[in-house]
Each structure stands twice: as structure tokens, then as C-alpha cells.
Amino acid sequence: MKSALLRYRVMATIVGVLLIILILIGVPLKYLATDGSSAQQLGENITTYLGVAHGWLYMIFLVMAAILARAARWSIPFTVTTLLAGTIPVVSFWAEHRATKAVRAAHPETV
């Protein structure tokens, strides 16, 4: 259980940080900066490359979360909420905290 929780937390943090950079920095630069400017090009690069990386890493996050959900015997609504929260910037950190708290409460040996 402890290793499943650790893997989940690492992936949740990575995916959450990448999503914040992608949505709060890359997308505004790409669409709000002057066309052809270096800022607009930076936004284009962030959304292109970081977007792909985030997509692949999100798939790994889903697997890690599913493994933890099964091991911790989460309910379907709790699991779905946790998985979907990974798609919303900043909310993903709340979901990770909530999931960690739930696992530690139900399985004190993971502390």
C-alpha cells in the first residue's frame, strides 16, 4: 500500500505541475501574445511539447491511481472524482491531498 501511495503521489504532483504550466503559462502565451513574437513562439512550444508529455504522463497517473484505488478499496465515485480532478489545474493538488488523507486514515501502516 505504501509504495502504491508513493507512486500515485509522485505522478499526481508531476501531472499537476505540468498542467499548471501548460494551462496557465503556455496557452495564454500561445493565444494572447502578439503573433510571431518570441513569447507566442514560447507558448506554442510549451503547448506542443509539454502538452504531449502531459498526455503520456497523465496515462501513467491514471494507472497509478487505479492501482491505488484497487488496493485501498475506494468507492467508484471517490475513484472517478480523483481521476477527473487530475484534468483541472490546481484542483489536482486537492484531489491528491484528499486521496492521501483517505488512504492514511483507512490504512495507518502507510504513515
Side-chain angles (χ1 to χ4, degrees):
M1 179 71 66
K2 193 172 187 175
S3 63
L5 179 61
L6 177 62
R7 288 190 304 266
Y8 163 77
R9 293 185 72 199
V10 167
M11 289 310 302
T13 301
I14 291 170
V15 168
V17 169
L18 291 181
L19 187 59
I20 286 173
I21 294 168
L22 181 65
I23 299 301
L24 300 181
I25 297 171
V27 171
L29 285 175
K30 179 178 179 178
Y31 293 108
L32 300 177
T34 306
D35 285 343
S37 68
S38 59
Q40 193 268 338
Q41 186 58 48
L42 176 61
E44 181 71 38
N45 289 338
I46 289 172
T47 57
T48 299
Y49 300 113
L50 203 59
V52 171
H54 171 73
W56 283 103
L57 291 169
Y58 186 70
M59 294 302 122
I60 296 169
F61 163 77
L62 290 176
V63 170
M64 295 301 112
I67 290 169
L68 180 60
R70 184 173 170 102
R73 297 191 173 140
W74 290 348
S75 67
I76 298 294
F78 190 91
T79 302
V80 170
T81 301
T82 302
L83 297 177
L84 290 178
T87 65
I88 304 167
V90 183
V91 175
S92 60
F93 295 106
W94 166 80
E96 183 274 328
H97 175 74
R98 176 178 160 259
T100 300
K101 186 176 175 182
V103 169
R104 288 181 174 163
H107 305 278
E109 72 277 4
T110 60
V111 176

